[in-house]
C-alpha cells in the first residue's frame, strides 16, 4: 500500500499541496488527475523520495519514506519503477543499456540474465532488435516505449507513471495504456499513473483521485468520477469549458 497522510508542500510563497491524504491499495492501478500545475507530478516525486514534503507522512508498505537516510533512500528507490514525463533516457547509452540500468543498480542478476531480460522487455514493447540503437534515433513513441520497458524491467512491486502517453498519436497512446495495464497485471504491481488522457486512463484504472487547489477532492472508481456531483470534478471529467476550475 502507498499512503500519504496530511502531506504539505510549498515552494517559496506558493503552497502546492495542502494536507493531502491518499491511500492506494496493494495491487491497484490508481489514476491521478487534475488541472495543470496542481502537484500531480510532485506527488509521484514525494512518494519516490525525490522531493521532501514540508509536513505529513509518506509510507510504502511498512517503510516510512521520510525517515530514510540518503543511502536508505537509494536502496528504496531501486524498488520503485518510474517513468518520467520527459522519459529521462540517457542519450549516451544504447536502448539496451538504458533498459538495463535499473537491473545493474539492483546487482541481483548476471550479464546473461540482464541481456535476456532486456530482450524480453523489448519484445513486450514491440521494439525487438532495437538493443543497439541510440535514443536520438528514436521517434517520440519509441522513446516512450523504451521508458516503459525501463520502468518495468525490474518487475518492481511499485511503479509510478507520469504522463506515459503525452504527445503520442491516438493509436500509439492506446497501445501504451494497454501495455501498462498488462504489465501491472502480470506483476501484481501497485501503480499510480498521472495522465491528461482521461478516457484511456479511466479504461485501465481501478480507482482515480483528483487534485484541485492543493487538495485531493475526489477518490473513487472511474464510474463514480463520471457520475460525481462535485462541480469541479464534473467539469474536469466531462471537459466542460464553463465552471469553477
Amino acid at each position: 500500500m502507498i499512503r500519504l497522510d496530511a502531506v504539505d508542500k510549498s515552494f517559496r510563497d506558493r503552497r502546492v499541496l495542502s494536507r493531502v491524504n491518499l491511500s492506494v491499495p496493494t495491487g491497484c492501478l490508481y489514476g491521478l488527475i487534475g488541472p495543470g500545475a496542481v502537484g500531480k507530478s510532485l506527488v509521484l516525486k514525494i512518494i519516490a523520495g525525490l522531493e521532501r514534503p514540508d509536513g505529513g507522512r509518506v509510507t510504502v508498505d511498512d517503510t516510512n519514506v521520510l525517515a530514510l537516510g540518503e543511502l536508505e533512500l537509494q536502496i528504496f528507490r531501486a524498488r520503485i519503477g518510474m517513468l518520467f514525463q520527459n522519459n529521462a533516457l540517457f542519450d549516451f547509452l544504447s536502448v539496451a543499456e538504458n533498459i538495463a540500468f535499473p537491473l545493474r543498480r539492483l546487482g541481483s542478476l548476471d550479464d546473461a540474465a540482464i541481456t535476456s531480460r532486456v530482450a524480453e522487455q523489448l519484445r513486450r514493447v514491440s521494439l525487438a532488435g532495437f538493443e543497439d540503437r541510440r535514443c536520438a534515433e528514436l521517434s517520440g513513441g519509441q522513446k516512450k516505449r523504451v521508458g516503459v520497458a525501463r520502468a518495468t524491467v525490474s518487475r518492481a512491486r511499485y511503479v509510478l507513471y507520469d504522463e506515459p502517453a503525452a504527445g503520442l498519436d491516438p493509436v500509439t497512446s492506446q497501445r501504451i495504456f494497454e501495455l501498462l495495464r498488462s504489465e501491472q497485471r502480470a506483476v501484481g504491481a501497485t501503480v499510480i499513473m498521472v495522465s491528461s488522457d482521461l478516457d484511456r486512463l479511466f479504461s485501465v484504472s481501478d480507482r482515480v483521485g483528483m487534485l484541485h487547489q492543493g487538495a485531493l477532492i475526489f477518490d473513487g472508481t472511474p464510474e463514480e468520477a463520471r457520475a460525481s456531483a462535485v462541480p469541479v470534478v464534473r467539469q474536469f471529467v466531462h471537459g466542460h469549458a464553463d465552471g469553477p476550475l
Side-chain angles (χ1 to χ4, degrees), residues 115-136:
T115 298
S116 176
R117 182 79 67 86
V118 168
E120 177 188 350
Q121 288 301 101
L122 283 171
R123 285 193 297 272
R124 290 180 68 86
V125 298
S126 301
L127 290 176
F130 275 61
E131 283 87 345
D132 295 328
R133 298 276 188 96
R134 293 287 168 175
C135 293

Side-chain angles (χ1 to χ4, degrees), residues 135-157:
C135 293
E137 303 170 21
L138 306 180
S139 69
Q142 289 168 341
K143 288 179 180 178
K144 191 68 70 175
R145 281 183 277 165
V146 172
V148 170
R150 186 176 66 179
T152 56
V153 70
S154 64
R155 296 171 183 166
R157 307 299 295 182

Side-chain angles (χ1 to χ4, degrees), residues 23-169:
S23 181
V24 181
T26 298
C28 176
L29 196 159
Y30 192 95
L32 189 60
I33 65 173
V38 295
K40 302 184 296 294
S41 298
L42 179 58
V43 166
L44 300 187
K45 291 176 181 177
I46 287 173
I47 292 168
L50 298 171
E51 287 279 0
R52 188 173 183 85
D54 301 323
R57 181 179 174 87
V58 181
T59 53
V60 177
D61 283 345
D62 297 325
T63 300
N64 179 357
V65 178
L66 304 185
L68 300 178
E70 189 54 43
L71 180 58
E72 294 170 313
L73 268 175
Q74 291 180 28
I75 297 170
F76 167 74
R77 291 184 193 121
R79 295 166 42 200
I80 295 179
M82 188 162 185
L83 175 65
F84 293 92
Q85 192 169 148
N86 64 354
N87 303 317
L89 301 176
F90 301 114
D91 290 337
F92 58 91
L93 298 179
S94 68
V95 166
E97 289 167 337
N98 266 281
I99 298 172
F101 184 77
L103 297 178
R104 297 199 185 281
R105 285 187 65 196
L106 287 171
S108 57
L109 297 176
D110 60 27
D111 286 346
I114 289 175
T115 298
S116 176
R117 182 79 67 86
V118 168
E120 177 188 350
Q121 288 301 101
L122 283 171
R123 285 193 297 272
R124 290 180 68 86
V125 298
S126 301
L127 290 176
F130 275 61
E131 283 87 345
D132 295 328
R133 298 276 188 96
R134 293 287 168 175
C135 293
E137 303 170 21
L138 306 180
S139 69
Q142 289 168 341
K143 288 179 180 178
K144 191 68 70 175
R145 281 183 277 165
V146 172
V148 170
R150 186 176 66 179
T152 56
V153 70
S154 64
R155 296 171 183 166
R157 307 299 295 182
Y158 294 94
V159 189
L160 309 174
Y161 295 113
D162 195 356
E163 294 289 358
L168 302 182
D169 64 83

